[in-house]
Amino acid sequence: MPPQSPHAGAELVRTTSATPPQQVRTRPRNSPYLAVPLAVAAASLAVGVTARAEQVRWWEVAIAAAVAVVLADLAAARHGLADSDRKQILTGAVLAVGVAVASAISPLNLRTLAGVLAVVAVATVRVAHHPSVGHRRVAEARRIWLDSLAAEFGAVAARVGWSHLRLNGIEDWGHGHTYRVQVPRGYTIDRLKSAEDTLTSALGRRRGEVTVMIDKEWPTVGAIHVRESDPQAALTEDNLNPQITSVADKLLVALYEDGRPFYLRLFDLLVGGLDILIVGTKGAGKSSLIIRILKLLLRVPDVTFIVADGANGRDLGVFADNNCFYRYVTTPRDLLSLVRTLCPLVDERERVMNQKRWRVWRPSKKHPILVLLIEEMKVFALSEYGPQIKTCLEYVSTRNRATGIVIVGATQYPGGSNGKNTFGHEVRKGMENRFQFRMGESGGMGVLGRPLRRRITSQEKGRFQAEAYMEDRQMHAQVIWTSDEERLALAEEWGGKQARPDDEWNLAEQRAHRAPVDLTKKEKPARKPTPPGVIEGECTVQDVTFAVVRELPKKRAPMDWEEAAETYKELLRQAGPVGVQRQDVEAATGWARTKLREEVIAPSLDARWATYQRRGRQHFYVMAKYAAA
Ligand SMILES: Nc1ncnc2c1ncn2[C@@H]1O[C@H](COP(=O)(O)OP(=O)(O)OP(=O)(O)O)[C@@H](O)[C@H]1O
Ligand SMILES: [Mg+2]
């Protein structure tokens, strides 16, 4: 293969709006102001020639001035006014005056000179105040800077040991830029991701400002995103308050690190409801995401909220006080009552859909999409009503997609023992939109199919990585913040204007509570009926020694999910390249085989931090970094 220039095919996507960074070179290559004196000189000479022939009349000077302005405008537009140096304007003006004086001292008279000077003054002022000057000046400076980055890229790539990396172009997105890169055929770009830190250093950036992304389809193509400033700093009114008219609209809830929008879909007209699981430690930003969703949807007529607030009104109280929710509860007992009502409601909606031949619920003000929002799921899941709430939710969660009921849950504990903090596996697995905010000390594997691209620090509030419907970029994003004043204003403005599906709710409530259950009592497991022909009673065995049949397994009591995942990691770490067998992990965690494989081992293989090896007839799990070595 012939050697390729590192910049072959380089193209520059030019900026539309940008702030030049400090180190921008400001000298333009073609000064547009050279056009100004030329235009003015032409006008001056025209005036001069006229004056030589006869006396100059005032309207001739006016016409000449107009011509000069038009010429200056044309020149500015054609060359692109980009230079920041005001001295250029001065030089232009002096040059034009020189031309005018030269024509004045030979055949022209004083009056003509005055006319010429007037023309020069008008044209110069016009150029100095041309609307495109400031904007273009900045744009041109930035273009030059990006040009220089493209030129230096070969050296940067060589410095990080990737001299075969080719630059296809630099894309500018205002608050940063993206190097579109490629390796020649026969190479793969996958490992560039592990060079992220080295690249960050080579580009002279801070940790976290450089992100490498590998193309999902092409193993030779990738992108290096460089963040120059916080994209949130330049949010426009359109971004902050987008016009949302239906629950089926996509919701702009966050911005990716590279400034692109992150859209959340709660309901799709063809697919139906899309449940959401929001996970993160204390103060990571879970509620801020919920508030952002509320901000966009409270004004929408075809959706209504049913809220279970385990945080006792810390964030949602202001909305509840202003009557923004159709139902608002704070205790597990009341949540149980709500989810019991949802069961017959789902049944009824299915019946209506069958009748009308609808595949997916069609939301309206009278029959809106119902969003069941559970803030701090743990409070409810671990209560004495947890198992009953779980049973009802499992029923609802298998049928809620088409029937237009959306479950949104926020929790600090996605795992817990058997996932019961999120009402168990059945409820959790249906939550397709997954948001992973900062995790606590243990780090944890969270709820994504892969580990976080980079650990989120405690300073990065509202930052998450997500796997959501039609949004699966492996890049962090930040929730668009809603201030306390905005929350209050929003609640006051929109409170009480939401849809109220009274008819169907009351009907469902009646059905759910037709046979009232005493919710204060715990449900006892039903006794098994005694098989016929068996006599019940007690018997005493005397003087009998039972021989030990076999050794008891050295298994401990099952750990909870977080502990088991951590133990598994630790075992792999200690075993190094030798790896561990499933039986070892079973013994250490006390977990049964299938559960261990599905909830701990399989996710580690999916996330690719562990690999599977077969040696003879034995199977081993090895940490990827040891396997690669
Ligand atoms: N998107 C954001 N932009 C800026 N600051 C944020 C953002 N999200 C959260 N914060 C900051 O972090 C604090 C905690 O956020 P939030 O209440 O949303 O966290 P949480 O995960 O719900 O916490 P908890 O589990 O304690 O309820 C906020 O008061 C705010 O100061
Ligand atoms: Mg919260």
Side-chain angles (χ1 to χ4, degrees), residues 424-486:
H425 187 59
E426 276 303 313
V427 178
R428 201 173 71 169
K429 81 175 181 200
M431 296 173 136
E432 294 178 67
N433 283 319
R434 287 170 178 235
F435 288 82
Q436 176 75 67
F437 284 81
R438 178 169 60 87
M439 291 303 285
E441 276 183 359
S442 67
M445 273 184 46
V447 287
L448 305 184
R450 54 175 173 258
L452 286 186
R453 187 186 63 73
R454 176 174 58 77
R455 199 171 171 145
I456 300 171
T457 66
S458 55
Q459 276 78 43
E460 296 173 310
K461 304 280 187 200
R463 188 163 279 236
F464 65 85
Q465 191 174 316
E467 274 174 12
Y469 180 66
M470 294 170 75
E471 285 288 353
D472 194 17
R473 294 179 73 201
Q474 291 176 37
M475 192 183 253
H476 290 179
Q478 175 132 25
V479 176
I480 297 174
W481 175 247
T482 312
S483 68
D484 292 351
E485 300 75 47
E486 267 184 280

Coordinates of all heavy atoms in Angstrom, one line a residue, residues 424-486:
G424 N -37.8 -6.0 41.8 CA -37.4 -7.2 41.2 C -37.1 -7.2 39.7 O -37.3 -6.2 39.0
H425 N -36.7 -8.3 39.2 CA -36.2 -8.5 37.8 C -37.2 -8.2 36.8 O -37.0 -7.5 35.8 CB -35.6 -9.9 37.7 CG -34.9 -10.1 36.4 ND1 -33.8 -9.3 36.0 CD2 -35.2 -11.0 35.4 CE1 -33.4 -9.7 34.8 NE2 -34.2 -10.7 34.4
E426 N -38.4 -8.7 37.0 CA -39.5 -8.6 36.0 C -39.8 -7.1 35.7 O -39.9 -6.8 34.5 CB -40.8 -9.3 36.5 CG -40.9 -10.7 36.3 CD -40.7 -11.1 34.8 OE1 -41.4 -10.5 34.0 OE2 -39.9 -12.0 34.5
V427 N -39.9 -6.3 36.7 CA -40.2 -4.9 36.5 C -39.0 -4.2 35.9 O -39.1 -3.4 35.0 CB -40.6 -4.2 37.9 CG1 -40.8 -2.8 37.7 CG2 -41.8 -4.9 38.5
R428 N -37.8 -4.6 36.4 CA -36.6 -3.9 36.0 C -36.3 -4.2 34.5 O -35.9 -3.3 33.8 CB -35.4 -4.3 36.9 CG -34.3 -3.3 36.9 CD -33.2 -3.7 37.8 NE -32.5 -4.9 37.4 CZ -31.4 -5.3 38.0 NH1 -30.9 -4.6 39.0 NH2 -30.8 -6.4 37.6
K429 N -36.5 -5.4 34.1 CA -36.0 -5.7 32.8 C -36.8 -5.0 31.7 O -36.4 -4.8 30.6 CB -36.0 -7.2 32.6 CG -37.3 -7.9 32.2 CD -37.2 -9.3 31.9 CE -38.5 -9.9 31.6 NZ -38.7 -11.3 31.7
G430 N -38.1 -4.6 32.0 CA -38.9 -3.9 31.0 C -38.5 -2.4 30.9 O -39.1 -1.7 30.0
M431 N -37.6 -2.0 31.8 CA -37.3 -0.5 31.7 C -36.2 -0.3 30.7 O -35.0 -0.5 31.0 CB -36.9 -0.1 33.1 CG -38.1 -0.2 34.1 SD -37.6 0.1 35.7 CE -39.0 1.2 36.3
E432 N -36.6 0.1 29.5 CA -35.7 0.1 28.4 C -34.8 1.4 28.4 O -33.7 1.4 27.9 CB -36.4 0.1 27.1 CG -37.2 -1.2 26.8 CD -37.9 -1.1 25.5 OE1 -37.3 -1.0 24.4 OE2 -39.2 -1.0 25.5
N433 N -35.4 2.5 28.8 CA -34.6 3.7 28.9 C -33.8 3.7 30.2 O -34.4 3.8 31.3 CB -35.5 4.9 28.9 CG -36.1 5.2 27.5 OD1 -35.4 5.1 26.5 ND2 -37.4 5.6 27.5
R434 N -32.5 3.5 30.1 CA -31.7 3.4 31.4 C -30.7 4.5 31.5 O -30.0 4.8 30.6 CB -31.0 2.1 31.4 CG -32.0 0.9 31.6 CD -31.4 -0.4 31.4 NE -32.4 -1.4 31.7 CZ -32.3 -2.3 32.6 NH1 -31.2 -2.5 33.2 NH2 -33.3 -3.2 32.8
F435 N -30.8 5.2 32.6 CA -29.9 6.3 32.9 C -29.0 5.9 34.1 O -29.5 5.6 35.2 CB -30.7 7.5 33.3 CG -31.4 8.1 32.2 CD1 -32.7 7.6 31.8 CD2 -30.9 9.2 31.5 CE1 -33.4 8.2 30.7 CE2 -31.6 9.8 30.4 CZ -32.8 9.2 30.0
Q436 N -27.7 6.0 33.8 CA -26.8 5.6 34.9 C -26.1 6.9 35.3 O -25.2 7.4 34.6 CB -25.8 4.6 34.3 CG -24.7 4.3 35.3 CD -25.2 3.3 36.3 OE1 -25.5 2.2 36.1 NE2 -25.2 3.9 37.6
F437 N -26.4 7.4 36.5 CA -25.7 8.6 37.0 C -24.5 8.1 37.8 O -24.2 6.9 37.8 CB -26.6 9.4 37.9 CG -27.6 10.2 37.1 CD1 -28.8 9.7 36.6 CD2 -27.4 11.6 36.9 CE1 -29.7 10.4 35.9 CE2 -28.2 12.3 36.2 CZ -29.4 11.8 35.6
R438 N -23.9 8.9 38.6 CA -22.7 8.5 39.4 C -23.1 7.5 40.4 O -24.1 7.6 41.0 CB -22.1 9.7 40.1 CG -21.0 9.4 41.0 CD -20.3 10.7 41.4 NE -21.3 11.6 42.2 CZ -21.5 11.5 43.5 NH1 -20.8 10.6 44.2 NH2 -22.3 12.3 44.1
M439 N -22.3 6.4 40.5 CA -22.5 5.4 41.4 C -21.7 5.7 42.7 O -20.8 6.5 42.7 CB -22.1 4.0 40.9 CG -23.0 3.6 39.7 SD -24.7 3.5 40.2 CE -24.8 2.0 41.2
G440 N -22.1 5.0 43.8 CA -21.4 5.2 45.1 C -20.0 4.7 45.1 O -19.4 4.6 44.0
E441 N -19.5 4.5 46.3 CA -18.1 4.2 46.4 C -17.7 2.9 45.7 O -16.6 2.8 45.1 CB -17.8 4.0 47.9 CG -17.5 5.2 48.6 CD -17.1 5.0 50.0 OE1 -17.1 3.9 50.5 OE2 -16.8 6.0 50.7
S442 N -18.6 1.9 45.7 CA -18.2 0.6 45.1 C -18.1 0.7 43.6 O -17.5 -0.2 43.0 CB -19.2 -0.5 45.5 OG -20.5 -0.1 44.9
G443 N -18.6 1.7 43.1 CA -18.6 1.9 41.6 C -19.7 1.1 41.0 O -20.6 1.6 40.4
G444 N -19.7 -0.2 41.3 CA -20.8 -1.0 40.8 C -20.9 -1.1 39.3 O -20.2 -0.4 38.6
M445 N -21.7 -2.1 38.8 CA -21.8 -2.2 37.3 C -22.9 -1.4 36.8 O -23.1 -1.3 35.6 CB -21.9 -3.6 37.0 CG -20.5 -4.3 36.8 SD -20.6 -5.9 36.3 CE -21.8 -5.8 35.0
G446 N -23.8 -1.0 37.7 CA -24.9 -0.2 37.3 C -25.9 -1.0 36.5 O -26.0 -2.2 36.6
V447 N -26.6 -0.3 35.7 CA -27.7 -0.9 34.9 C -27.5 -0.9 33.4 O -28.4 -1.3 32.7 CB -29.1 -0.2 35.2 CG1 -29.5 -0.5 36.6 CG2 -28.9 1.3 35.0
L448 N -26.3 -0.5 33.0 CA -26.1 -0.5 31.6 C -25.4 -1.9 31.2 O -24.9 -2.5 32.0 CB -25.2 0.6 31.2 CG -25.6 2.0 31.6 CD1 -24.7 3.1 31.0 CD2 -27.0 2.3 31.1
G449 N -25.5 -2.2 29.9 CA -24.9 -3.4 29.4 C -23.4 -3.4 29.4 O -22.8 -4.4 29.2
R450 N -22.9 -2.2 29.6 CA -21.4 -2.1 29.6 C -21.0 -1.1 30.7 O -21.9 -0.3 31.2 CB -21.0 -1.5 28.3 CG -21.7 -0.3 27.9 CD -21.3 0.4 26.7 NE -22.2 1.5 26.4 CZ -23.1 1.4 25.5 NH1 -23.3 0.4 24.8 NH2 -23.9 2.5 25.4
P451 N -19.8 -1.1 31.1 CA -19.4 -0.2 32.2 C -19.4 1.2 31.7 O -19.3 1.5 30.5 CB -18.0 -0.6 32.6 CG -17.5 -1.5 31.5 CD -18.7 -2.0 30.7
L452 N -19.3 2.2 32.6 CA -19.3 3.6 32.2 C -18.0 3.9 31.4 O -17.0 3.3 31.7 CB -19.3 4.5 33.4 CG -20.6 4.7 34.1 CD1 -20.5 5.7 35.2 CD2 -21.7 5.1 33.2
R453 N -18.2 4.8 30.4 CA -17.0 5.1 29.6 C -15.9 5.7 30.5 O -14.7 5.4 30.3 CB -17.4 6.1 28.6 CG -16.4 6.5 27.5 CD -16.9 7.6 26.7 NE -17.1 8.8 27.4 CZ -16.1 9.6 27.8 NH1 -14.9 9.2 27.6 NH2 -16.4 10.7 28.5
R454 N -16.3 6.4 31.4 CA -15.3 7.0 32.3 C -16.1 7.3 33.6 O -17.3 7.6 33.6 CB -14.8 8.4 31.8 CG -13.9 9.2 32.6 CD -13.4 10.4 31.9 NE -14.5 11.3 31.4 CZ -15.1 12.1 32.2 NH1 -14.9 12.2 33.5 NH2 -16.1 12.9 31.7
R455 N -15.4 7.1 34.7 CA -16.1 7.2 36.0 C -16.6 8.7 36.2 O -15.8 9.6 35.9 CB -15.1 6.8 37.1 CG -15.9 6.5 38.4 CD -15.0 5.9 39.4 NE -15.8 5.9 40.6 CZ -15.6 4.9 41.5 NH1 -14.8 4.0 41.3 NH2 -16.4 4.9 42.6
I456 N -17.8 8.9 36.7 CA -18.3 10.2 36.9 C -17.9 10.7 38.3 O -18.1 9.9 39.2 CB -19.8 10.2 36.7 CG1 -20.2 9.8 35.3 CG2 -20.4 11.6 37.0 CD1 -21.7 9.5 35.1
T457 N -17.3 11.8 38.4 CA -16.8 12.3 39.7 C -18.0 13.0 40.5 O -19.0 13.4 39.9 CB -15.7 13.3 39.5 OG1 -16.2 14.4 38.9 CG2 -14.6 12.7 38.7
S458 N -17.7 13.2 41.7 CA -18.8 13.8 42.6 C -19.0 15.3 42.2 O -20.0 15.9 42.5 CB -18.5 13.7 44.0 OG -17.2 14.2 44.3
Q459 N -18.0 15.9 41.5 CA -18.2 17.3 41.0 C -19.2 17.4 39.8 O -19.7 18.4 39.6 CB -16.9 17.9 40.6 CG -16.1 18.5 41.8 CD -15.4 17.3 42.5 OE1 -14.8 16.5 41.9 NE2 -15.4 17.4 43.9
E460 N -19.3 16.3 39.1 CA -20.1 16.3 37.9 C -21.5 16.0 38.2 O -22.0 14.9 38.0 CB -19.5 15.3 36.9 CG -18.1 15.6 36.5 CD -17.4 14.6 35.7 OE1 -17.5 13.4 36.0 OE2 -16.9 14.9 34.6
K461 N -22.2 17.0 38.6 CA -23.7 16.8 39.0 C -24.5 16.7 37.7 O -24.3 17.5 36.8 CB -24.1 18.0 39.8 CG -23.3 18.3 41.1 CD -23.7 17.4 42.2 CE -23.0 17.7 43.4 NZ -23.0 16.6 44.4
G462 N -25.5 15.9 37.8 CA -26.4 15.8 36.7 C -25.9 15.1 35.5 O -26.4 15.2 34.4
R463 N -24.7 14.4 35.6 CA -24.1 13.8 34.5 C -24.4 12.3 34.4 O -24.4 11.7 35.5 CB -22.6 14.0 34.6 CG -21.8 13.6 33.3 CD -20.4 14.2 33.4 NE -20.5 15.5 32.9 CZ -19.8 16.0 31.9 NH1 -18.9 15.2 31.3 NH2 -19.8 17.2 31.6
F464 N -24.7 11.8 33.3 CA -25.0 10.4 33.2 C -24.6 9.8 31.8 O -24.2 10.5 30.9 CB -26.6 10.3 33.3 CG -27.3 10.9 32.1 CD1 -27.5 10.2 30.9 CD2 -27.8 12.2 32.2 CE1 -28.2 10.8 29.9 CE2 -28.4 12.8 31.2 CZ -28.6 12.1 30.0
Q465 N -24.7 8.5 31.8 CA -24.5 7.8 30.5 C -25.8 7.0 30.4 O -26.3 6.4 31.4 CB -23.3 6.9 30.5 CG -23.0 6.4 29.1 CD -21.7 5.6 29.0 OE1 -20.7 6.1 29.6 NE2 -21.7 4.5 28.4
A466 N -26.3 6.9 29.2 CA -27.6 6.2 29.0 C -27.7 5.2 27.9 O -26.9 5.3 27.0 CB -28.7 7.2 28.8
E467 N -28.6 4.3 28.0 CA -29.0 3.4 26.9 C -30.4 3.6 26.8 O -31.2 3.1 27.5 CB -28.7 1.9 27.3 CG -27.3 1.5 27.0 CD -27.1 0.1 27.5 OE1 -28.1 -0.6 27.9 OE2 -25.9 -0.3 27.6
A468 N -30.8 4.5 25.8 CA -32.2 4.8 25.7 C -32.7 4.6 24.3 O -31.9 4.4 23.4 CB -32.4 6.3 26.1
Y469 N -34.0 4.6 24.2 CA -34.6 4.3 22.9 C -34.1 5.4 21.9 O -34.3 6.6 22.1 CB -36.1 4.4 23.0 CG -36.9 4.2 21.8 CD1 -36.9 2.9 21.2 CD2 -37.7 5.2 21.2 CE1 -37.7 2.7 20.0 CE2 -38.4 5.0 20.1 CZ -38.4 3.7 19.5 OH -39.1 3.5 18.4
M470 N -33.4 4.9 20.8 CA -32.9 5.8 19.8 C -31.8 6.7 20.2 O -31.4 7.7 19.6 CB -34.0 6.6 19.0 CG -34.9 5.6 18.3 SD -36.3 6.4 17.7 CE -35.7 7.3 16.3
E471 N -31.3 6.5 21.4 CA -30.1 7.3 21.9 C -29.1 6.3 22.6 O -29.4 5.9 23.7 CB -30.6 8.3 23.0 CG -31.3 9.5 22.4 CD -30.4 10.5 21.7 OE1 -29.2 10.3 21.7 OE2 -31.0 11.4 21.1
D472 N -28.1 6.0 21.9 CA -27.2 5.0 22.5 C -25.7 5.4 22.2 O -24.9 4.6 22.0 CB -27.5 3.6 21.9 CG -26.9 2.5 22.7 OD1 -26.5 2.8 23.9 OD2 -26.8 1.4 22.3
R473 N -25.5 6.7 22.3 CA -24.1 7.1 22.0 C -23.3 6.8 23.3 O -23.8 7.2 24.4 CB -24.0 8.6 21.7 CG -24.6 8.9 20.4 CD -24.6 10.4 20.1 NE -23.2 10.8 19.8 CZ -22.8 12.1 19.9 NH1 -23.6 13.0 20.3 NH2 -21.6 12.4 19.5
Q474 N -22.1 6.3 23.2 CA -21.4 5.9 24.4 C -20.6 7.2 24.9 O -19.4 7.2 24.9 CB -20.4 4.8 24.1 CG -21.1 3.5 23.8 CD -20.1 2.5 23.4 OE1 -19.0 2.4 24.0 NE2 -20.5 1.6 22.5
M475 N -21.4 8.1 25.3 CA -20.8 9.4 25.7 C -21.6 10.0 26.9 O -22.8 9.8 27.0 CB -20.9 10.3 24.5 CG -20.1 11.6 24.7 SD -20.4 12.6 23.2 CE -18.9 12.4 22.4
H476 N -20.9 10.6 27.8 CA -21.7 11.2 28.9 C -22.5 12.4 28.4 O -22.2 13.0 27.4 CB -20.7 11.8 29.9 CG -20.0 10.7 30.7 ND1 -19.0 10.9 31.6 CD2 -20.0 9.3 30.6 CE1 -18.6 9.8 32.1 NE2 -19.2 8.8 31.5
A477 N -23.6 12.6 29.2 CA -24.4 13.8 28.9 C -24.8 14.4 30.2 O -24.6 13.9 31.2 CB -25.7 13.3 28.1
Q478 N -25.3 15.7 30.1 CA -25.6 16.4 31.3 C -27.1 16.9 31.2 O -27.4 17.5 30.2 CB -24.7 17.6 31.5 CG -25.0 18.4 32.6 CD -23.8 18.7 33.5 OE1 -22.7 18.7 33.0 NE2 -24.0 19.0 34.8
V479 N -27.8 16.7 32.3 CA -29.2 17.1 32.3 C -29.2 18.6 32.3 O -28.4 19.3 32.9 CB -29.8 16.6 33.6 CG1 -31.3 17.1 33.7 CG2 -29.8 15.1 33.7
I480 N -30.2 19.1 31.6 CA -30.4 20.6 31.5 C -31.1 21.0 32.8 O -32.1 20.4 33.2 CB -31.3 21.0 30.3 CG1 -30.5 20.6 29.0 CG2 -31.6 22.5 30.4 CD1 -31.3 20.8 27.8
W481 N -30.4 21.9 33.5 CA -30.8 22.2 34.9 C -32.1 23.1 34.9 O -32.2 24.0 34.1 CB -29.6 22.9 35.6 CG -29.9 23.4 37.0 CD1 -29.9 24.7 37.4 CD2 -30.1 22.6 38.1 NE1 -30.2 24.8 38.7 CE2 -30.3 23.5 39.2 CE3 -30.3 21.2 38.4 CZ2 -30.6 23.1 40.5 CZ3 -30.5 20.8 39.7 CH2 -30.7 21.7 40.7
T482 N -32.9 22.9 35.9 CA -34.1 23.7 36.1 C -33.9 24.3 37.5 O -33.9 23.6 38.5 CB -35.4 22.9 36.1 OG1 -35.3 22.0 34.9 CG2 -36.6 23.8 36.0
S483 N -33.9 25.6 37.6 CA -33.6 26.3 38.9 C -34.9 26.2 39.8 O -36.0 26.0 39.3 CB -33.2 27.8 38.6 OG -34.4 28.5 38.1
D484 N -34.6 26.5 41.0 CA -35.8 26.5 42.0 C -36.9 27.5 41.6 O -38.0 27.2 41.7 CB -35.3 26.8 43.4 CG -34.4 25.7 43.9 OD1 -34.3 24.6 43.2 OD2 -33.7 25.9 45.0
E485 N -36.4 28.7 41.2 CA -37.4 29.7 40.8 C -38.3 29.2 39.6 O -39.5 29.4 39.6 CB -36.7 31.0 40.4 CG -35.9 31.7 41.4 CD -34.6 31.0 41.7 OE1 -33.9 30.7 40.7 OE2 -34.2 30.7 42.8
E486 N -37.6 28.6 38.6 CA -38.3 28.1 37.5 C -39.3 27.0 37.9 O -40.4 26.9 37.3 CB -37.3 27.4 36.5 CG -36.7 28.3 35.4 CD -35.8 27.5 34.5 OE1 -34.7 27.3 34.9 OE2 -36.3 27.1 33.5

